[in-house]
Amino acid sequence: MKANDGVKGEGRYRIEALAKGLAVLRLFDETVTGLKLRDISERTGIPMPTAFRVVATLEGEGFLERTDDGTIRPGVAVLTLGSAALRGSSLVQVAERPLRRLAESTGETVNLGVLLGDQVLYLVRLRNSDLVTANVQVGSTLPAAYTSMGKLLLAYLSVEERREALRTHDFTAAVGPNAARSLAEVDAAADAIRAEGFAIQDQEVAIGLRSVSVPVFGRGERPVAAINIAVAANRHDAADLRGTLLDALRATAQDISLRLAAG
């Protein structure tokens, strides 16, 4: 075997077989939970015989599993890896205790999330059992354009970066009644969000849900994450989110930010 076998472009140490396996695993997300082998081949561009071998290898190691009808879906090993990654994240480790204190002091649902393309990825979720929402949990994603954390993190991007992040976002999707319906609406809100330092979601994700979010900083000028407090609309109006809840949220964000900067 030559020294540059498996090398593509400038990636001197790139292992193509591993890259193909990762490409297959990346096909699965919140909306894609099962695929047939032909779908995998078409979506990745990997020829069918190679896709068969890649899937068989991942299946043998527990990262994929196959149902009786031939549908391929993530296996338990993927869940274990994801759980370990979240638990081992320095951001999660630093943030978890301050967030738990915030949840206990307010009695509300508290979340930590990061921007992932046009989605917000939930890294910590401490849920108030009274909150009626979609089935959101650690590792879940929601459209950034409709969530308070997503709107806040998008606001700290440049116009070009924001438009690239939302390039494939479907603004016609069925969501809450107050959701933005165009990129122009997201852009219009960005300056005010950045100037005020917080973002409010008022029944944009779903009817009956409101939230307020603030940024968490590390050592740079851009947020590394956002945290929010989510409440039921029948218990809190939008004005409530600008009062004591926002004050408590900001104090928690400052605590986490100082810990990250010192770490």
Side-chain angles (χ1 to χ4, degrees):
M1 180 177 179
K2 296 179 182 179
N4 64 345
D5 279 355
V7 175
K8 183 176 181 181
E10 295 181 356
R12 293 178 54 213
Y13 305 109
R14 180 182 174 92
I15 301 172
E16 283 303 312
L18 177 58
K20 288 182 174 68
L22 295 173
V24 170
L25 292 176
R26 288 194 186 99
L27 293 176
F28 300 97
D29 57 23
E30 288 287 297
T31 59
V32 180
T33 57
L35 293 168
K36 295 298 181 66
L37 182 63
R38 184 167 297 280
D39 298 324
I40 290 173
S41 175
E42 291 175 352
R43 295 188 184 200
T44 59
I46 300 172
M48 278 286 285
T50 304
F52 175 83
R53 292 194 298 272
V54 169
V55 168
T57 301
L58 292 171
E59 187 179 359
E61 296 297 325
F63 291 96
L64 294 177
E65 61 184 26
R66 197 184 305 256
T67 63
D68 291 340
D69 68 354
T71 298
I72 297 157
R73 62 190 185 189
V76 174
V78 171
L79 302 178
T80 303
L81 272 181
S83 177
L86 290 177
R87 289 196 306 270
S89 163
S90 60
L91 173 60
V92 170
Q93 290 180 346
V94 166
E96 192 162 15
R97 184 173 296 178
L99 290 176
R100 196 166 296 280
R101 287 199 299 266
L102 178 65
E104 291 171 353
S105 66
T106 62
E108 303 293 352
T109 294
V110 172
N111 300 293
L112 166 74
V114 295
L115 192 63
L116 190 66
D118 66 344
Q119 303 285 306
V120 167
L121 173 65
Y122 283 70
L123 299 182
V124 176
R125 181 167 173 82
L126 304 173
R127 182 176 177 181
N128 175 345
S129 59
D130 293 336
L131 191 69
V132 179
T133 67
N135 184 25
V136 178
Q137 52 196 321
V138 171
S140 292
T141 58
L142 286 178
Y146 308 140
T147 64
S148 62
M149 292 193 294
K151 292 198 300 179
L152 183 133
L153 293 171
L154 287 169
Y156 279 86
L157 300 180
S158 68
V159 173
E160 294 76 16
E161 290 170 328
R162 188 161 55 247
R163 291 182 177 176
E164 176 59 26
L166 297 176
R167 180 172 51 84
T168 60
H169 177 73
D170 180 10
F171 281 98
T172 67
V175 285
N178 299 328
R181 291 300 178 185
S182 69
L183 179 58
E185 289 185 50
V186 177
D187 283 340
D191 288 343
I193 289 172
R194 197 165 55 250
E196 294 175 337
F198 68 92
I200 285 180
Q201 178 275 129
D202 185 5
Q203 303 189 84
E204 297 163 53
V205 173
I207 294 175
L209 178 64
R210 294 187 171 110
S211 63
V212 58
S213 174
V214 298
V216 170
F217 293 92
R219 296 178 180 177
E221 296 181 353
R222 280 192 179 182
V224 296
I227 61 173
N228 80 0
I229 295 176
V231 302
N234 62 2
R235 290 193 293 107
H236 292 280
D237 60 25
D240 289 342
L241 299 178
R242 295 181 170 87
T244 55
L245 290 178
L246 177 57
D247 292 340
L249 189 65
R250 279 176 160 160
T252 300
Q254 183 177 24
D255 183 8
I256 297 170
S257 298
L258 289 173
R259 291 168 184 256
L260 286 173

